[in-house]
Amino acid sequence: MTLFDRPPVGMNLARTAKIVAQAFDAAMVEAGGTLPVWVTLLSVKSKELANQRELAGMIGIQGATLTHHLNAMEAQGLLTRRRDPQNRRVHQVELTEAGEAMFEKLRLAAIAFDKRLRAGIPDEKLAEFAEVLSALRGNVGD
């Protein structure tokens, strides 16, 4: 069997990941947000109080990109930032009431998207798929 008898796993996975990510982003936009807004709100919400450096690490983006997103979200009234009294170079990030409301709206959209994505796939196949994804990550060193 040669490499061209069927699409390589990596190529198929990358294509599928791109299509699913685009569809998920579209679901977030339809709900009034974006994927970066959702990931930021989720990261802040999952940790009662997060500083910007930790937040960038959780999201997997550079500090400058995060600052751009946080500036926009702060201007929209979704979050607040304040300097940490223990370390003035660190900003603490918290959701506002509007941020909490947006989080809930996007959470419901994410749940609906996940339900749509899983439609027709038995739980045991999803569990096996999760194991395969874990093995693929392990094979590339993560």
Side-chain angles (χ1 to χ4, degrees), residues 69-129:
H69 288 304
L70 293 177
N71 287 342
M73 292 174 70
E74 191 170 31
Q76 294 169 355
L78 299 176
L79 54 82
T80 60
R81 291 180 286 179
R82 63 180 173 79
R83 295 215 182 262
D84 183 335
Q86 306 300 319
N87 183 349
R88 303 287 298 155
R89 294 179 298 167
V90 174
H91 284 90
Q92 301 291 335
V93 182
E94 295 178 301
L95 298 185
T96 62
E97 194 173 309
E100 293 282 352
M102 178 61 80
F103 171 82
E104 185 58 24
K105 191 174 184 183
L106 296 180
R107 185 184 74 81
L108 293 174
I111 289 169
F113 182 83
D114 189 63
K115 184 176 180 180
R116 176 177 144 211
L117 195 59
R118 293 168 175 257
I121 304 171
D123 288 344
E124 58 275 0
K125 282 210 176 236
L126 290 168
E128 184 179 339
F129 180 61

Side-chain angles (χ1 to χ4, degrees), residues 18-86:
K18 183 177 179 180
I19 291 167
V20 171
Q22 288 172 339
F24 186 63
D25 189 46
M28 293 293 102
V29 168
E30 188 176 317
T34 63
L35 185 56
V37 167
W38 166 242
V39 173
T40 302
L41 292 173
L42 180 61
S43 296
V44 173
K45 182 77 172 169
S46 68
K47 215 176 170 189
E48 204 166 298
L49 197 63
N51 70 52
Q52 284 187 216
R53 185 177 309 134
E54 291 172 344
L55 190 53
M58 281 191 263
I59 297 171
I61 60 176
Q62 298 294 319
T65 302
L66 176 65
T67 299
H68 171 74
H69 288 304
L70 293 177
N71 287 342
M73 292 174 70
E74 191 170 31
Q76 294 169 355
L78 299 176
L79 54 82
T80 60
R81 291 180 286 179
R82 63 180 173 79
R83 295 215 182 262
D84 183 335
Q86 306 300 319

